[in-house]
Amino acid sequence: MDLAYSEEQLLFRQSLERYLGENYSFAHRRHVAAKLHGFDPEVWAGLAELGCFGVPLTTEHGGFDGRLVTTGLVMQALGRHLVVEPVLGSAVIAGRLIARVAHAAQRDELLTPLIAGTSRIAFAHDDLGTKASLKGGADGYRLTARKTAVLGGATADRLLVSALNAAGELRLAILDAGTSGVSLHPYQLLDGSWAADVLVQDVTIGSDRILGDGSDAGPAITATLDDGVVAACWEAVGAMQAAYEQTCAYVRERRQFDRPLAGFQVVQHKVAEMAVCCEEAGAAALLAALKLDSEGADRDRAVAAAKVRISHCGRFVAKEAVQLHGGMGVSEELPIATYFRKLLTFELMFGSSMEYRRRYVKTVIAARAHEMSAVLPAAERADITLPAA
Amino acid sequence: MDLILTPAQRAFRREVQTFLATHLTAEMRQGQMLTAGVYPEPDVSRPWHHALYRKGWVAPLWPVEYGGSGWTTIERFIFESECALAGAPVVYPIGVRLAAPVILAFGSEEQKRTYLPRILSGEDYWCQGFSEPGAGSDLASLQTRAVLEGDHYTINGSKIWTTHAHHANRMFALVRTANTPRKQDGISFIVIDMQSPGVEIRPIISIGGEHDINQVFFTDVRVPPSGLIGEVNAGWSYAKYLLEFERGTGLFSSRLRSGLKRIERAIDALEAADRHIRDNMDLMARLADVAIEIDVFEMLELMTLGLLEPGQRPGPTSSVLKLRASRLKQTVGELGVEILGPSALRWQDHPEDVLSVIVPDYLNSRAATIFGGASEVQLGIIAKSLAGV
Ligand SMILES: Cc1cc2nc3c(=O)[nH]c(=O)nc-3n(C[C@H](O)[C@H](O)[C@H](O)COP(=O)(O)OP(=O)(O)OC[C@H]3O[C@@H](n4cnc5c(N)ncnc54)[C@H](O)[C@@H]3O)c2cc1C
């Protein structure tokens, strides 16, 4: 076991924090969210130069790291600064999905510009049960799909579209966003970032536009969406920490009744509870990332625990941050209201806590895995038995 | 003791129902349904105000000789319940329920004649100028000054969070008229004409994306001495009187229930779009919890206010009602967001229907535990005056 971040990881975090501190003020963020469909090309280039988009990918796939823990550090910093650009959708989800499914030539073609920041890919998956379809054979396919809530879909140049083939297996097709027959309805999300609904109407595509070797993409999609949830967890942790820190600063400074708000014990206890929540959420995110980075881990357990617990802690921190700011917290005068919406967005994204609780029941509790440690790997041999009680 | 309505109360209820059936229009109901804040816009509330005015039903709490409806609290409770359930617009209360009681109790005959009829008819639209950038919970530390210069007061300073100041033609304000050792002893209650030269209004956007609140600046604004209510430097006691009315006489329960009703409509809309909410036992259990809380709150409110004579001060139990109602408002909102689930993520991308209003309304409801005295302050009052500790 090694519970310390490496020197490299810490340096990387530092340089990203510095970059965002200097280039991503709240006023700038507001402008990007309101006026630029959540995408500032200069920031995107800056993040690419720092290496952010290569972090989620292994060196074998042309990336720089490939671990979710390091990806988490990126996401945490983005969360702190409320970055609206679609890093999660493009670099983490689309990037890792392509790495998992595509064959080598496709990987080079798609991931090299993605890492360099010259191409943004959005994963169009959720179709609310309308079942996107891929018909045809060796010399070409016809794709029809109606997708919703495509993260980064508003500004992507390529779309990665999931669809069922005749055999009922999932395939991934890659399309230029400008292809005729593809239409986008962009809209803003609750946190200020942008998504799109995507309509693909009977578009003809070559067989080389289907990712991989023709096997079912379902398992890779499931695994990658789990990665996405964990990355979003880290982003939420970053947002919580920033909201907490800004609240601490505010209650120290804001004076009412001839003393700082921090002079009231009730206020002290509230910020103390917020601190506890931030620590706990950090632990949940770390556990999930470390588990998913290791072979053969119980992904259901790690992901469900993180989503449920961070939602809970995030909700508490968001509410108290707003409450302790008074009128300042429920208006656009300060970033606090935006942190509130960001954390609410996290709760609602990728399914609610109720769904993850059900998942935990169905997989973890049903297997009685919850009787075992969550952090220690499964014991190697079960030949040591305790005397019966 | 019983909950049986007397024949007269039953007849009154019929009368209210009949009135609603004939005077409440579809546009008024739609306007209220789409209101994502505390008060509807004047173009929604005014027509309803006028209808009530013609019937003599605008001001349940005023003495009959000034145009009050002469109801008992039970009748008012019946009236409010029927109006809320029918979806009638909330009557804008700043004039009727806040300014008027103070004018009635402490104003001169001439002030009553000047202000009250125009509040009753809806001709004047008032706003409340209490809070300042430096004086929120600690209201007594307010700094906006009124200096008597010859035949008028000159006002300089700023008020903040002023609801509907941009719609109002009058403001009642607390201003500093003396520097006294005890801050409370140098405050006066004054009426300001919002059209006066030197009044400037800056909009503030709320966490839910609306423009309801403002900052108001005063630069050498002139007010005649006839605008001063009651005694000079006695404004603090009038403000405390007013705040008790603000907190304790609202009859919130019926409006909470109409919030629940709005969620029911959202569920219907989702079911119609094939989202199966009513089969989801987790959500239904949450809905039951919230409905139960409102059931009990209704009795709490009736029990607390039911024996008061009209115009009688509710006392410190007003803080109990304010605390409970504000939290319940947030609970209802939160439930709505959970029920919307992923649809809640779409920001301002719904048609003008019930789904478009649930999320902004929830976000704005975070202010309910802040305005009119933050929860922490209410708890302080409850501890001191009710618990005696
Ligand atoms: C939507 C909205 C509408 C409003 N409309 C009006 C209006 O029309 N007219 C008007 O005059 N005002 C209005 N207000 C102002 C409102 O009354 C103030 O916001 C409120 O009094 C709190 O003051 P503040 O915002 O300065 O917060 P602060 O006083 O700075 O307090 C911030 C937080 O600190 C904590 N706190 C404060 N004091 C204590 C204490 N003693 N003990 C423990 N904790 C404490 C609480 O959590 C509080 O929420 C409105 C506010 C909002 C949000």
Side-chain angles (χ1 to χ4, degrees):
Chain A
M1 248 187 216
D2 178 3
L3 294 175
Y5 289 115
S6 71
E7 193 77 16
E8 243 183 331
Q9 285 171 320
L10 292 174
L11 275 172
F12 174 69
R13 171 163 74 183
Q14 210 181 355
S15 57
L16 178 55
E17 274 290 343
R18 186 177 326 113
Y19 174 80
L20 292 170
E22 286 165 5
N23 296 282
Y24 213 84
S25 68
F26 184 62
H28 178 74
R29 187 262 187 203
R30 190 179 268 167
H31 173 74
V32 176
K35 301 276 189 275
L36 304 178
H37 282 82
F39 177 74
D40 174 2
E42 259 176 60
V43 167
W44 198 258
L47 293 176
E49 195 166 324
L50 281 165
C52 291
F53 308 148
V55 167
L57 302 167
T58 61
T59 47
E60 176 195 346
H61 295 146
F64 311 136
D65 186 293
R67 286 169 297 174
L68 274 178
V69 170
T70 320
T71 308
L73 291 178
V74 175
M75 295 306 296
Q76 190 177 16
L78 300 180
R80 293 182 72 93
H81 294 267
L82 292 165
V83 170
V84 283
E85 276 76 0
V87 178
L88 176 63
S90 183
V92 181
I93 296 179
R96 285 174 74 101
L97 187 53
I98 290 165
R100 279 195 171 105
V101 177
H103 55 63
Q106 290 170 329
R107 265 204 319 257
D108 285 348
E109 178 205 337
L110 299 171
L111 293 182
T112 307
L114 182 141
I115 292 167
T118 51
S119 165
R120 288 171 313 287
I121 308 179
F123 178 39
H125 179 55
D126 193 354
D127 57 13
L128 298 173
T130 56
K131 298 223 169 49
S133 77
L134 190 66
K135 295 196 178 111
D139 50 334
Y141 291 89
R142 304 180 79 81
L143 176 65
T144 297
R146 178 189 292 276
K147 301 288 187 177
T148 184
V150 178
L151 295 180
T155 54
D157 55 297
R158 284 178 167 138
L159 299 167
L160 188 57
V161 185
S162 64
L164 292 170
N165 67 7
E169 283 181 351
L170 278 167
R171 292 286 181 276
L172 292 168
I174 188 89
L175 284 179
D176 285 345
T179 308
S180 90
V182 175
S183 52
L184 292 180
H185 166 65
Y187 57 89
Q188 198 167 27
L189 296 178
L190 178 56
D191 67 355
S193 68
W194 285 74
D197 289 345
V198 175
L199 191 63
V200 183
Q201 281 168 306
D202 200 25
V203 169
T204 306
I205 48 176
S207 50
D208 64 326
R209 299 293 79 191
I210 308 296
L211 291 199
D213 57 7
S215 59
D216 185 10
I221 292 174
T222 307
T224 307
L225 287 177
D226 282 346
D227 296 348
V229 174
V230 173
C233 283
W234 282 77
E235 189 186 12
V237 170
M240 282 169 70
Q241 287 170 337
Y244 157 71
E245 285 161 20
Q246 289 174 26
T247 304
C248 292
Y250 190 78
V251 297
R252 275 197 293 267
E253 201 172 292
R254 169 78 170 165
R255 294 179 70 86
Q256 290 286 276
F257 306 101
D258 298 319
R259 74 189 105 162
L261 288 178
F264 292 102
Q265 196 170 33
V266 167
V267 173
Q268 292 166 9
H269 285 189
K270 279 175 186 285
V271 290
E273 297 274 12
M274 291 166 78
V276 173
C277 278
C278 287
E279 293 293 328
E280 193 182 335
L286 192 59
L287 171 60
L290 289 172
K291 277 290 173 187
L292 262 59
D293 278 339
S294 51
E295 283 296 312
D298 183 348
R299 301 179 69 91
D300 292 308
R301 183 176 189 177
V303 174
K307 185 68 166 58
V308 169
R309 211 50 212 154
I310 296 169
S311 291
H312 176 89
C313 294
R315 190 187 276 212
F316 182 88
V317 169
K319 284 181 182 175
E320 296 298 356
V322 164
Q323 182 69 20
L324 287 172
H325 276 80
M328 284 292 171
V330 288
S331 63
E332 294 300 309
E333 307 283 287
L334 293 176
I336 291 299
T338 309
Y339 283 110
F340 186 93
R341 290 191 298 264
K342 173 83 226 170
L343 289 165
L344 184 58
T345 304
F346 166 72
E347 265 196 72
L348 294 162
M349 192 96 88
F350 300 112
S352 70
S353 288
M354 283 175 199
E355 288 159 54
Y356 286 90
R357 271 186 214 110
R358 265 183 239 138
R359 183 168 167 191
Y360 195 94
V361 170
K362 231 164 86 184
T363 59
V364 184
I365 294 182
R368 298 185 65 155
H370 61 300
E371 295 182 12
M372 247 74 85
S373 162
V375 296
L376 295 176
E380 272 140 52
R381 296 181 55 176
D383 56 357
I384 303 171
T385 47
L386 297 173
Chain B
M1 239 187 185
D2 63 55
L3 292 172
I4 301 164
L5 296 182
T6 65
Q9 287 164 343
R10 290 215 313 270
F12 174 71
R13 190 180 192 185
R14 289 285 318 156
E15 192 188 358
V16 174
Q17 287 171 336
T18 313
F19 181 80
L20 284 161
T22 43
H23 290 88
L24 182 64
T25 65
E27 297 85 75
M28 294 176 192
R29 299 177 66 200
Q30 178 78 356
Q32 177 62 34
M33 191 195 68
L34 293 178
T35 295
V38 188
Y39 312 128
E41 290 292 290
D43 61 347
V44 172
S45 62
R46 266 209 177 106
W48 180 235
H49 185 117
H50 288 152
L52 291 174
Y53 172 63
R54 288 191 293 273
K55 177 77 176 168
W57 282 0
V58 165
L61 293 167
W62 298 15
V64 179
E65 64 262 38
Y66 290 100
S69 56
W71 294 335
T72 62
T73 303
I74 311 291
E75 282 163 335
R76 192 159 71 87
F77 190 86
I78 292 171
F79 175 76
E80 294 291 348
S81 297
E82 292 299 334
C83 287
L85 290 186
V90 170
V91 174
Y92 181 69
I94 308 265
V96 178
R97 264 186 39 221
L98 300 186
V102 173
I103 294 167
L104 279 162
F106 309 108
S108 67
E109 273 316 308
E110 196 202 324
Q111 287 169 332
K112 291 180 198 171
R113 273 200 311 275
T114 310
Y115 298 128
L116 296 178
R118 296 166 63 93
I119 292 177
L120 202 64
S121 69
E123 219 171 323
D124 283 352
Y125 199 91
W126 288 65
C127 63
Q128 175 181 19
F130 278 17
S131 308
E132 297 182 5
S137 302
D138 181 14
L139 187 55
S141 64
L142 59 94
Q143 297 289 336
T144 296
R145 303 194 65 84
V147 181
L148 191 57
E149 291 176 335
D151 64 348
H152 62 266
Y153 284 98
T154 302
I155 300 189
N156 279 288
S158 172
K159 296 290 175 182
I160 197 168
W161 318 123
T162 322
T163 304
H164 285 199
H166 55 305
H167 297 310
N169 64 332
R170 288 191 198 281
M171 169 191 276
F172 59 85
L174 294 178
V175 289
R176 185 152 299 288
T177 36
N179 286 324
T180 47
R182 219 178 70 98
K183 295 178 290 196
Q184 287 83 348
D185 298 335
I187 292 171
S188 299
F189 195 104
I190 204 164
V191 180
I192 300 171
D193 183 340
M194 293 296 280
Q195 269 94 50
S196 314
V199 176
E200 249 179 276
I201 298 175
R202 174 179 75 92
I204 296 176
I205 302 304
S206 73
I207 185 169
E210 325 273 321
H211 173 205
D212 282 331
I213 48 180
N214 304 273
Q215 185 168 8
V216 183
F217 300 92
F218 305 100
T219 315
D220 294 331
V221 173
R222 290 176 168 218
V223 174
S226 60
L228 188 86
I229 305 285
E231 303 279 314
V232 72
N233 295 332
W236 186 250
S237 61
Y238 310 155
K240 283 199 349 200
Y241 180 81
L242 179 147
L243 286 175
E244 251 176 57
F245 277 91
E246 179 173 4
R247 287 166 191 165
T249 59
L251 291 185
F252 306 105
S253 59
S254 53
R255 290 292 164 185
L256 290 167
R257 198 171 297 284
S258 59
L260 202 59
K261 210 171 151 181
R262 183 153 72 176
I263 291 175
E264 283 292 339
R265 292 185 59 170
I267 297 177
D268 291 339
L270 292 167
E271 292 271 348
D274 247 15
R275 288 261 314 277
H276 302 295
I277 308 294
R278 295 195 196 280
D279 299 341
N280 183 327
M281 278 325 287
D282 293 324
L283 285 178
M284 288 300 108
R286 289 269 298 121
L287 177 59
D289 268 339
V290 179
I292 288 166
E293 275 191 67
I294 296 177
D295 291 350
V296 171
F297 180 69
E298 210 177 317
M299 189 65 219
L300 175 68
E301 196 170 63
L302 193 60
M303 170 182 109
T304 310
L305 301 176
L307 295 174
L308 294 183
E309 295 300 323
Q312 195 183 339
R313 299 174 70 155
T317 46
S318 63
S319 290
V320 176
L321 297 182
K322 157 64 166 86
L323 184 80
R324 255 346 252 118
S326 57
R327 288 182 177 165
L328 249 172
K329 167 89 187 143
Q330 296 173 343
T331 306
V332 170
E334 216 161 25
L335 171 68
V337 172
E338 275 172 44
I339 283 175
L340 250 59
S343 315
L345 289 169
R346 300 177 91 100
W347 184 241
Q348 297 171 346
D349 184 55
H350 296 279
E352 284 262 295
D353 65 13
V354 63
L355 297 181
S356 70
V357 75
I358 301 256
V359 176
D361 188 62
Y362 168 60
L363 293 170
N364 287 336
S365 81
R366 298 315 312 177
T369 49
I370 293 168
F371 59 61
S375 293
E376 293 75 16
V377 173
Q378 306 298 342
L379 286 166
I381 295 172
I382 294 167
K384 211 156 94 188
S385 351
L386 281 185
V389 295

